[in-house]
Structures are given as structure tokens and as C-alpha cells.
Amino acid sequence: MDSVGLWSLVRFGHVAGAALWVGGQLALSLVILPLARRSLTSEDRDRFAAEAGRRFGMLTGAVFLPVQLATGWAMAWHKGVTWASLAEPGYGRTLAAKLGLFVLVMLAAVGHGIAHSRGRPEPARTLAVVSLVGSLGVVLLATALPAT
């Protein structure tokens, strides 16, 4: 495989991971959980939502995060990004904003899981919305970055 093909594959992995994460959040929030609320008893709905959240969290930890971190680091290395370049206008600051927002999204997602597991539905819902909106913001910032 030539260099161009390798970096296309790395970029594809990064984009596919992001699509899985954001698409999964959207599918759960807009399709699956509303149907569960309407179709299942309260007890079944709570059990289903908890299990869906656990599975999505396991998928995130086992697949999404490792793929995003590895491919993101590889693309930054390939592009020649340094800590200092993250403060430079244009690419550097956009990437820094994307990384910062990504960290906040992950913290909100962890907070959501903790709040849900402790039976605190209001903070859990708020943190889920924050995570989803933040994830869309990460994707928006990513579209402003040129391909590496």
C-alpha cells in the first residue's frame, strides 16, 4: 500500500469512528429511546435504556476511543502538529478547539453514565444532550480542517 492509500485508510478510520459515535447518539436519542418510551412498560423501558447505554459505552471504550485516539494522533503526526502549533491561527487553533471540545464531550458522556447509574435522570439527560450537541460541534470543527 502506498503512502496516499495508507493515509486515506487512517482518515477513513477516523471519520468512520466519528460517524459511529455521533450516529449512535442520534439513533439512540431520536429513534430508539423514544420508541422504547412509547412501547415498553416503565420497568422494561428502564432496563432496556440501561442495557443500551451500557452496550454503547462498552463499544465507545473498546472501539471508538482507541480508533479516534490512534488515528487522530497519527494524522496530527503526519501533518507535523506540535503543541506549539496548536496556538497558531488557522489549522492549529481549529484543531485545538476540536480537541478541547472532544475532551468536554467525553467528560459529559462519562458524567451521563454515572448520573444514569445512580438513578439521577435529570442530570443524566442534561449531560446526554451536552454530549450530543458537543459531538456535533466536534464534527463541525473537523470539517474546517483540511485533509491530512
Side-chain angles (χ1 to χ4, degrees):
M1 176 179 295
D2 67 354
S3 178
V4 172
L6 173 65
W7 291 110
S8 292
L9 186 60
V10 169
R11 220 173 18 262
F12 173 80
H14 198 73
V15 171
L20 175 65
W21 169 251
V22 177
Q25 286 180 310
L26 288 168
L28 281 170
S29 299
L30 300 176
V31 178
I32 297 166
L33 294 178
L35 284 172
R37 278 187 211 102
R38 285 198 309 266
S39 304
L40 301 174
T41 65
S42 179
E43 182 179 306
D44 288 341
R45 179 186 65 236
D46 291 345
R47 189 173 50 248
F48 175 81
E51 185 60 30
R54 267 193 294 282
R55 284 185 181 218
F56 193 69
M58 288 182 350
L59 180 64
T60 296
V63 178
F64 169 71
L65 274 175
V67 167
Q68 292 311 105
L69 294 173
T71 57
W73 176 85
M75 290 187 303
W77 173 81
H78 181 67
K79 180 82 174 165
V81 172
T82 64
W83 288 110
S85 70
L86 292 175
E88 295 173 4
Y91 187 92
R93 286 188 191 158
T94 303
L95 180 58
K98 178 187 171 208
L99 293 172
L101 187 54
F102 179 76
V103 168
L104 293 175
V105 163
M106 291 295 108
L107 290 172
V110 168
H112 164 74
I114 291 169
H116 191 272
S117 70
R118 292 184 178 169
R120 301 194 58 208
E122 291 307 315
R125 182 175 291 245
T126 299
L127 288 166
V129 171
V130 167
S131 180
L132 176 57
V133 171
S135 294
L136 293 171
V138 169
V139 172
L140 179 64
L141 288 167
T143 63
L145 296 171
T148 51

